[in-house]
């Protein structure tokens, strides 16, 4: 059974940093594209970053380029999202996701089969 468990959310002031973790289990870690999505109140879920382990280059939404970094630790079956220079507009629930078939845009929410429970990130001004 595939499980994705996020951790690391919290509250921070604008300009601060947080690191999110997503621990995967129940499948071969290097077989699925993984991504971070976020959803703010009243808004649609949007793709933040994605990579294909092992060693795939990460892709980012324009709104986070240069501030966020997605990385992997294959030994721990974990992906991370390092978030620097946080802004109030980054406030959202952040979700980790994985998909069985690497087809279509990494941003396409409907292509992901597996989701974590989400972790809240709140950035105050």
């Amino acid at each position: 059974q595939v499980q994705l468990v996020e951790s690391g959310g919290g509250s921070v002031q604008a300009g601060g940093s947080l690191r999110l973790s997503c621990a995967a289990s129940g499948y071969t870690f290097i077989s699925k594209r993984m991504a971070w999505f976020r959803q703010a109140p009243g808004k649609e879920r949007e793709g933040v970053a994605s990579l294909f382990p092992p060693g795939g280059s990460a892709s980012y939404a324009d709104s986070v380029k240069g501030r966020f970094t997605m990385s992997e630790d294959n030994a721990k079956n974990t992906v991370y999202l390092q978030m620097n220079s946080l802004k109030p507009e980054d406030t959202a629930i952040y979700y980790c996701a994985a998909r069985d078939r690497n087809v279509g845009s990494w941003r396409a929410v409907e292509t992901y089969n597996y989701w974590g429970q989400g972790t809240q990130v709140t950035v105050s001004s």
Side-chain angles (χ1 to χ4, degrees):
Q1 182 180 358
V2 174
Q3 282 194 316
L4 302 174
V5 179
E6 302 104 334
S7 60
S11 297
V12 65
Q13 289 192 325
S17 298
L18 285 172
R19 189 176 81 155
L20 306 183
S21 300
C22 172
S25 62
Y27 71 97
T28 303
F29 182 66
I30 61 173
S31 67
K32 303 186 193 298
R33 172 172 290 280
M34 299 195 72
W36 288 97
F37 286 80
R38 66 185 182 187
Q39 189 165 19
K43 294 189 176 182
E44 293 187 350
R45 194 168 295 190
E46 64 171 354
V48 175
S50 178
L51 59 75
F52 199 114
S57 298
S59 300
Y60 299 95
D62 288 344
S63 58
V64 306
K65 278 181 183 176
R67 301 189 297 121
F68 290 11
T69 302
M70 185 174 181
S71 61
E72 61 186 273
D73 184 335
N74 294 325
K76 295 182 179 180
N77 287 2
T78 299
V79 293
Y80 303 95
L81 187 67
Q82 177 67 43
M83 305 185 294
N84 298 330
S85 302
L86 282 161
K87 304 175 182 180
E89 51 263 45
D90 295 318
T91 295
I93 299 175
Y94 283 70
Y95 297 91
C96 176
R99 65 187 189 186
D100 287 329
R101 299 180 66 219
N102 194 27
V103 176
S105 170
W106 68 266
R107 306 167 193 267
V109 174
E110 67 276 10
T111 65
Y112 288 82
N113 309 87
Y114 311 103
W115 294 86
Q117 80 285 359
T119 185
Q120 177 71 48
V121 171
T122 302
V123 184
S124 57
S125 57

PDB file of all heavy atoms in Angstrom, residues 57-73:
ATOM      1  N   SER A  57      16.079  16.149 -12.775  1.00  0.00           N
ATOM      2  CA  SER A  57      16.066  17.593 -12.541  1.00  0.00           C
ATOM      3  C   SER A  57      14.694  18.014 -12.051  1.00  0.00           C
ATOM      4  O   SER A  57      13.678  17.524 -12.529  1.00  0.00           O
ATOM      5  CB  SER A  57      16.399  18.347 -13.823  1.00  0.00           C
ATOM      6  OG  SER A  57      17.688  18.034 -14.274  1.00  0.00           O
ATOM      7  N   ALA A  58      14.662  18.929 -11.130  1.00  0.00           N
ATOM      8  CA  ALA A  58      13.387  19.402 -10.600  1.00  0.00           C
ATOM      9  C   ALA A  58      12.809  20.489 -11.492  1.00  0.00           C
ATOM     10  O   ALA A  58      13.543  21.297 -12.063  1.00  0.00           O
ATOM     11  CB  ALA A  58      13.571  19.923  -9.180  1.00  0.00           C
ATOM     12  N   SER A  59      11.495  20.498 -11.581  1.00  0.00           N
ATOM     13  CA  SER A  59      10.768  21.551 -12.281  1.00  0.00           C
ATOM     14  C   SER A  59      10.000  22.352 -11.244  1.00  0.00           C
ATOM     15  O   SER A  59       9.553  21.802 -10.229  1.00  0.00           O
ATOM     16  CB  SER A  59       9.795  20.948 -13.294  1.00  0.00           C
ATOM     17  OG  SER A  59      10.467  20.176 -14.256  1.00  0.00           O
ATOM     18  N   TYR A  60       9.810  23.645 -11.528  1.00  0.00           N
ATOM     19  CA  TYR A  60       9.183  24.526 -10.543  1.00  0.00           C
ATOM     20  C   TYR A  60       8.129  25.412 -11.188  1.00  0.00           C
ATOM     21  O   TYR A  60       8.243  25.800 -12.353  1.00  0.00           O
ATOM     22  CB  TYR A  60      10.229  25.420  -9.886  1.00  0.00           C
ATOM     23  CG  TYR A  60      11.298  24.671  -9.141  1.00  0.00           C
ATOM     24  CD1 TYR A  60      12.501  24.360  -9.749  1.00  0.00           C
ATOM     25  CD2 TYR A  60      11.085  24.262  -7.833  1.00  0.00           C
ATOM     26  CE1 TYR A  60      13.486  23.654  -9.075  1.00  0.00           C
ATOM     27  CE2 TYR A  60      12.065  23.555  -7.149  1.00  0.00           C
ATOM     28  CZ  TYR A  60      13.260  23.260  -7.778  1.00  0.00           C
ATOM     29  OH  TYR A  60      14.228  22.557  -7.097  1.00  0.00           O
ATOM     30  N   ALA A  61       7.143  25.769 -10.389  1.00  0.00           N
ATOM     31  CA  ALA A  61       6.219  26.807 -10.797  1.00  0.00           C
ATOM     32  C   ALA A  61       6.964  28.135 -10.833  1.00  0.00           C
ATOM     33  O   ALA A  61       7.881  28.369 -10.037  1.00  0.00           O
ATOM     34  CB  ALA A  61       5.063  26.887  -9.808  1.00  0.00           C
ATOM     35  N   ASP A  62       6.562  29.013 -11.731  1.00  0.00           N
ATOM     36  CA  ASP A  62       7.234  30.307 -11.856  1.00  0.00           C
ATOM     37  C   ASP A  62       7.193  31.085 -10.542  1.00  0.00           C
ATOM     38  O   ASP A  62       8.135  31.816 -10.215  1.00  0.00           O
ATOM     39  CB  ASP A  62       6.568  31.132 -12.955  1.00  0.00           C
ATOM     40  CG  ASP A  62       6.882  30.608 -14.347  1.00  0.00           C
ATOM     41  OD1 ASP A  62       7.841  29.817 -14.485  1.00  0.00           O
ATOM     42  OD2 ASP A  62       6.177  30.998 -15.293  1.00  0.00           O
ATOM     43  N   SER A  63       6.134  30.924  -9.791  1.00  0.00           N
ATOM     44  CA  SER A  63       5.957  31.701  -8.567  1.00  0.00           C
ATOM     45  C   SER A  63       6.944  31.332  -7.466  1.00  0.00           C
ATOM     46  O   SER A  63       7.110  32.106  -6.506  1.00  0.00           O
ATOM     47  CB  SER A  63       4.531  31.524  -8.044  1.00  0.00           C
ATOM     48  OG  SER A  63       4.255  30.154  -7.795  1.00  0.00           O
ATOM     49  N   VAL A  64       7.615  30.181  -7.599  1.00  0.00           N
ATOM     50  CA  VAL A  64       8.533  29.750  -6.546  1.00  0.00           C
ATOM     51  C   VAL A  64       9.968  29.593  -7.031  1.00  0.00           C
ATOM     52  O   VAL A  64      10.860  29.300  -6.227  1.00  0.00           O
ATOM     53  CB  VAL A  64       8.064  28.434  -5.881  1.00  0.00           C
ATOM     54  CG1 VAL A  64       6.628  28.560  -5.386  1.00  0.00           C
ATOM     55  CG2 VAL A  64       8.221  27.259  -6.821  1.00  0.00           C
ATOM     56  N   LYS A  65      10.200  29.759  -8.331  1.00  0.00           N
ATOM     57  CA  LYS A  65      11.551  29.606  -8.862  1.00  0.00           C
ATOM     58  C   LYS A  65      12.521  30.542  -8.164  1.00  0.00           C
ATOM     59  O   LYS A  65      12.230  31.722  -7.949  1.00  0.00           O
ATOM     60  CB  LYS A  65      11.565  29.884 -10.363  1.00  0.00           C
ATOM     61  CG  LYS A  65      11.127  28.714 -11.219  1.00  0.00           C
ATOM     62  CD  LYS A  65      11.180  29.064 -12.705  1.00  0.00           C
ATOM     63  CE  LYS A  65      10.677  27.918 -13.553  1.00  0.00           C
ATOM     64  NZ  LYS A  65      10.625  28.271 -14.989  1.00  0.00           N
ATOM     65  N   GLY A  66      13.676  29.994  -7.816  1.00  0.00           N
ATOM     66  CA  GLY A  66      14.694  30.789  -7.136  1.00  0.00           C
ATOM     67  C   GLY A  66      14.506  30.857  -5.634  1.00  0.00           C
ATOM     68  O   GLY A  66      15.399  31.320  -4.920  1.00  0.00           O
ATOM     69  N   ARG A  67      13.355  30.423  -5.145  1.00  0.00           N
ATOM     70  CA  ARG A  67      13.092  30.450  -3.690  1.00  0.00           C
ATOM     71  C   ARG A  67      12.934  29.046  -3.107  1.00  0.00           C
ATOM     72  O   ARG A  67      13.319  28.811  -1.962  1.00  0.00           O
ATOM     73  CB  ARG A  67      11.825  31.251  -3.398  1.00  0.00           C
ATOM     74  CG  ARG A  67      11.885  32.700  -3.874  1.00  0.00           C
ATOM     75  CD  ARG A  67      10.692  33.503  -3.360  1.00  0.00           C
ATOM     76  NE  ARG A  67       9.420  32.990  -3.864  1.00  0.00           N
ATOM     77  CZ  ARG A  67       8.426  32.563  -3.086  1.00  0.00           C
ATOM     78  NH1 ARG A  67       8.549  32.595  -1.768  1.00  0.00           N
ATOM     79  NH2 ARG A  67       7.290  32.109  -3.618  1.00  0.00           N
ATOM     80  N   PHE A  68      12.341  28.147  -3.875  1.00  0.00           N
ATOM     81  CA  PHE A  68      12.085  26.782  -3.405  1.00  0.00           C
ATOM     82  C   PHE A  68      13.025  25.805  -4.110  1.00  0.00           C
ATOM     83  O   PHE A  68      13.353  25.984  -5.288  1.00  0.00           O
ATOM     84  CB  PHE A  68      10.653  26.359  -3.710  1.00  0.00           C
ATOM     85  CG  PHE A  68       9.588  27.060  -2.899  1.00  0.00           C
ATOM     86  CD1 PHE A  68       9.867  28.171  -2.118  1.00  0.00           C
ATOM     87  CD2 PHE A  68       8.291  26.585  -2.923  1.00  0.00           C
ATOM     88  CE1 PHE A  68       8.882  28.811  -1.379  1.00  0.00           C
ATOM     89  CE2 PHE A  68       7.281  27.201  -2.195  1.00  0.00           C
ATOM     90  CZ  PHE A  68       7.584  28.321  -1.430  1.00  0.00           C
ATOM     91  N   THR A  69      13.408  24.758  -3.386  1.00  0.00           N
ATOM     92  CA  THR A  69      14.241  23.705  -3.956  1.00  0.00           C
ATOM     93  C   THR A  69      13.697  22.351  -3.550  1.00  0.00           C
ATOM     94  O   THR A  69      13.522  22.075  -2.346  1.00  0.00           O
ATOM     95  CB  THR A  69      15.698  23.830  -3.486  1.00  0.00           C
ATOM     96  OG1 THR A  69      16.217  25.111  -3.837  1.00  0.00           O
ATOM     97  CG2 THR A  69      16.560  22.752  -4.125  1.00  0.00           C
ATOM     98  N   MET A  70      13.437  21.517  -4.551  1.00  0.00           N
ATOM     99  CA  MET A  70      12.990  20.149  -4.293  1.00  0.00           C
ATOM    100  C   MET A  70      14.172  19.216  -4.433  1.00  0.00           C
ATOM    101  O   MET A  70      14.965  19.346  -5.365  1.00  0.00           O
ATOM    102  CB  MET A  70      11.881  19.735  -5.265  1.00  0.00           C
ATOM    103  CG  MET A  70      11.292  18.380  -4.963  1.00  0.00           C
ATOM    104  SD  MET A  70       9.879  18.034  -6.057  1.00  0.00           S
ATOM    105  CE  MET A  70       9.378  16.421  -5.457  1.00  0.00           C
ATOM    106  N   SER A  71      14.295  18.280  -3.494  1.00  0.00           N
ATOM    107  CA  SER A  71      15.402  17.342  -3.533  1.00  0.00           C
ATOM    108  C   SER A  71      14.918  15.973  -3.069  1.00  0.00           C
ATOM    109  O   SER A  71      13.786  15.820  -2.618  1.00  0.00           O
ATOM    110  CB  SER A  71      16.558  17.836  -2.662  1.00  0.00           C
ATOM    111  OG  SER A  71      16.144  17.955  -1.311  1.00  0.00           O
ATOM    112  N   GLU A  72      15.819  14.991  -3.180  1.00  0.00           N
ATOM    113  CA  GLU A  72      15.452  13.621  -2.835  1.00  0.00           C
ATOM    114  C   GLU A  72      16.556  12.978  -2.009  1.00  0.00           C
ATOM    115  O   GLU A  72      17.718  13.358  -2.115  1.00  0.00           O
ATOM    116  CB  GLU A  72      15.252  12.802  -4.117  1.00  0.00           C
ATOM    117  CG  GLU A  72      16.526  12.726  -4.946  1.00  0.00           C
ATOM    118  CD  GLU A  72      16.353  12.042  -6.284  1.00  0.00           C
ATOM    119  OE1 GLU A  72      16.481  10.816  -6.322  1.00  0.00           O
ATOM    120  OE2 GLU A  72      16.100  12.755  -7.264  1.00  0.00           O
ATOM    121  N   ASP A  73      16.171  12.000  -1.214  1.00  0.00           N
ATOM    122  CA  ASP A  73      17.122  11.144  -0.515  1.00  0.00           C
ATOM    123  C   ASP A  73      16.624   9.725  -0.745  1.00  0.00           C
ATOM    124  O   ASP A  73      15.710   9.255  -0.062  1.00  0.00           O
ATOM    125  CB  ASP A  73      17.183  11.473   0.975  1.00  0.00           C
ATOM    126  CG  ASP A  73      18.237  10.657   1.708  1.00  0.00           C
ATOM    127  OD1 ASP A  73      18.579   9.555   1.237  1.00  0.00           O
ATOM    128  OD2 ASP A  73      18.719  11.117   2.753  1.00  0.00           O
TER     129      ASP A  73
END
